[in-house]
Amino acid sequence: MEGKRLSLGVLGVLGLLLLAAAAGGAEPPPSCEGVRKVFQLRQLGPLRGIPESPRAGADLQVCTSKNPTCCTKKMEERYQTAAKQDIQQVLQTSSAPLKFLISRNAAAFQETFEMLIRLAENYTSTLFCNAYRNMAAEATTRVQEFFTDVGLFIFGTDVNTEEFVNRFFDTLFPVVYNHVINPGLTDISLEYAECLRMKRRDIRPFGNIPKKAIGQMGRSLLPSRTFLQALNLGIEVINTTDHLHFSKDCSRALLRMQYCPHCQGLTLSRPCMGYCLNIIRGCLANVAEVDLHWRVYIQSLEELSSAMSGTYDIEHVLLNFHLLVNDAVVQAHINGPELSEQVSKVCGPPVRKPIQSPSCSFDQNKDNQILKMFSRDSEETLTNRRKEFISHLRLYRAFYGGLADQLCGNELAAADGLPCWNGEDVVRSYTHRVVGSGIKAQSANPEVKVKGTDPVISQIIDKLKHVIQLLQGKSFPNYDKWDLRQTGSGGGSIDEQISGDCDDEDGCGGSGSGEVKTVLKITDF
């Protein structure tokens, strides 16, 4: 005991009991008063039925001892419930910073995308009100429908970018024909407009601009959609591992580690580090299997984030969509005579109705207050926010691999050099073998038996594998065949192929002069 003495002020009376136990085996406490106080303090149940002095514990299932005990079978059941609740609480406390990091950023990115869509819609509707006022009322309806589809896609609805881009230009063509290509005193009939809509892809009044828009939208919206999906899955992974179903053997081991010493009056004792690691690694064996996939998940998120910059950044594409629309209308105007001739061959001469369409009714100022929160000069752009988020997330790459060590080292186990509980007694050190993490390593675990895999954890691992495939661009639809990893954070050489060929005439480059360079300030929560 020499050189190992601890002051009475540190350990108190029960601390002396620990030291005595370390020297020569735990003796039964003279009274159960300390046990009763802790039981009451922890609100584990009513005090009636709790022994006032040690008694024989023949009816105990887990906290068995040769000595008299302060526990009853009913107390053991209460302790069993508390042990599982304690470990759940420790798990949730440990993961709380990570969960908050992901959920806060998922919410911030989602809100930013929503506002970005509204701003892009505002720009496009304003274009019609300012430059093509006579067709603005009809066109803004098509614009609203288009950006509704954009939002549905980004936030996970099963819609196809190629289809809704084509649908926008299909419905825009009759409006442009009516007011730009072949204007008349009154509007074309609904039947004639439907013919134009159906034949737009054959007539190609907007040249290759729809194809260019499909390429830009697919390449910018899909990564953002995948990024949001991945963040939401990250939250689901944490929620799953925060609410584990512990096996019967694990539950008994947790009880033995955390509350069985109470039965011997050792309410201040903590488990030895090696003992704690064996039990927690056994109980979290399935969770440790998440580790490899979690590391790849974070790495894949980082690679995707680096690729979401430059020409196909969602901010760049959406805020410059109005320029593409303007180019489309201008091209149709320039080729007006030829297009009129083509239309006459396909749909016949224009049939008009006696009602003139209304002029612009779009309120350009209605979103001004909301849009003011986005600053043109803000340093906190989408790209910068992603980089900042990934830099913080990277710190949690080994979270699941080191979870048991973190729980025992920070929360559960006794400090080095102090007497500790080994499952039977208070000792100087734990002498059994300490196993590694993961299911395979548990075959040699002296404290917990691990049987097979947890189907809930297996399911979340499968989901991680799937989202990793999405993040790495291996499961994208055919019309979006492109390798994100070809481009760096500077937004350099993204593969210019949509499905085979694409040159300058197709418009796979930038949007030309007049591009909007607005950067959006991210709202933090």
Side-chain angles (χ1 to χ4, degrees), residues 464-496:
L464 266 177
K465 288 178 180 178
H466 175 66
V467 87
I468 287 167
Q469 293 273 311
L470 293 177
L471 288 168
Q472 294 177 348
K474 295 177 181 177
S475 300
F476 290 151
N478 290 334
Y479 65 87
D480 279 314
K481 286 181 180 175
W482 49 291
D483 189 349
L484 282 169
R485 287 163 293 183
Q486 290 184 3
T487 178
S489 59
S493 58
I494 215 164
D495 178 16
E496 294 293 346

Side-chain angles (χ1 to χ4, degrees), residues 287-306:
V287 173
E289 299 296 320
V290 175
D291 176 55
L292 174 63
H293 308 286
W294 184 257
R295 290 172 186 266
V296 178
Y297 162 78
I298 291 180
Q299 180 184 347
S300 301
L301 261 177
E302 184 174 1
E303 290 173 356
L304 178 67
S305 178
S306 296

Side-chain angles (χ1 to χ4, degrees), residues 228-295:
L228 275 183
Q229 285 178 329
L231 296 193
N232 288 324
L233 179 65
I235 298 168
E236 184 181 348
V237 171
I238 298 165
N239 283 337
T240 300
T241 55
D242 273 356
H243 299 88
L244 292 174
H245 173 73
F246 295 112
S247 68
K248 183 178 180 180
D249 201 68
C250 164
S251 299
R252 292 166 69 95
L254 290 171
L255 166 60
R256 190 179 302 112
M257 180 180 79
Q258 292 172 267
Y259 287 102
C260 283
H262 288 217
C263 298
Q264 299 182 32
L266 305 173
T267 55
L268 290 183
S269 72
R270 286 192 167 216
C272 303
M273 177 60 77
Y275 177 54
C276 179
L277 286 174
N278 275 342
I279 289 179
I280 301 302
R281 284 176 178 172
C283 289
L284 300 185
N286 280 277
V287 173
E289 299 296 320
V290 175
D291 176 55
L292 174 63
H293 308 286
W294 184 257
R295 290 172 186 266

Side-chain angles (χ1 to χ4, degrees), residues 175-359:
V175 181
V176 173
Y177 177 86
N178 190 40
H179 296 281
V180 176
I181 298 172
N182 192 359
L185 294 176
T186 58
D187 293 343
I188 56 175
S189 67
L190 293 176
E191 293 78 10
Y192 199 78
E194 179 63 13
C195 178
L196 294 176
R197 188 189 68 79
M198 295 288 291
K199 298 298 181 181
R200 193 275 303 172
R201 298 179 205 188
D202 297 327
I203 298 173
R204 300 181 75 242
F206 307 124
N208 287 309
I209 289 172
K211 185 178 180 181
K212 177 181 179 180
I214 289 168
Q216 288 189 356
M217 288 293 164
R219 294 167 194 253
S220 65
L221 301 187
L222 187 57
S224 297
R225 168 190 170 113
T226 304
F227 193 77
L228 275 183
Q229 285 178 329
L231 296 193
N232 288 324
L233 179 65
I235 298 168
E236 184 181 348
V237 171
I238 298 165
N239 283 337
T240 300
T241 55
D242 273 356
H243 299 88
L244 292 174
H245 173 73
F246 295 112
S247 68
K248 183 178 180 180
D249 201 68
C250 164
S251 299
R252 292 166 69 95
L254 290 171
L255 166 60
R256 190 179 302 112
M257 180 180 79
Q258 292 172 267
Y259 287 102
C260 283
H262 288 217
C263 298
Q264 299 182 32
L266 305 173
T267 55
L268 290 183
S269 72
R270 286 192 167 216
C272 303
M273 177 60 77
Y275 177 54
C276 179
L277 286 174
N278 275 342
I279 289 179
I280 301 302
R281 284 176 178 172
C283 289
L284 300 185
N286 280 277
V287 173
E289 299 296 320
V290 175
D291 176 55
L292 174 63
H293 308 286
W294 184 257
R295 290 172 186 266
V296 178
Y297 162 78
I298 291 180
Q299 180 184 347
S300 301
L301 261 177
E302 184 174 1
E303 290 173 356
L304 178 67
S305 178
S306 296
M308 290 166 62
S309 304
T311 305
Y312 293 106
D313 178 78
I314 184 173
E315 185 178 5
H316 177 94
V317 169
L318 288 184
L319 295 186
N320 287 285
F321 180 72
H322 69 289
L323 297 180
L324 276 182
V325 174
N326 187 59
D327 289 345
V329 177
V330 169
Q331 183 162 339
H333 177 65
I334 292 171
N335 298 324
E338 297 172 23
L339 291 173
S340 291
E341 189 175 334
Q342 280 184 272
V343 168
S344 294
K345 290 179 181 178
V346 176
C347 297
V351 178
R352 298 189 177 275
K353 57 186 179 180
I355 303 172
Q356 178 65 33
S357 60
S359 61

Side-chain angles (χ1 to χ4, degrees), residues 374-415:
F374 297 107
S375 168
R376 289 176 178 270
D377 302 316
S378 170
E379 295 179 1
E380 197 175 13
T381 63
L382 270 169
T383 300
N384 290 339
R385 180 58 182 260
R386 281 195 302 265
K387 286 181 180 178
E388 180 186 354
F389 166 62
I390 293 296
S391 69
H392 286 105
L393 187 63
R394 199 183 294 125
L395 301 175
Y396 292 93
R397 280 177 299 186
F399 176 75
Y400 284 107
L403 187 54
D405 300 68
Q406 181 182 343
L407 298 186
C408 288
N410 296 346
E411 302 283 347
L412 301 173

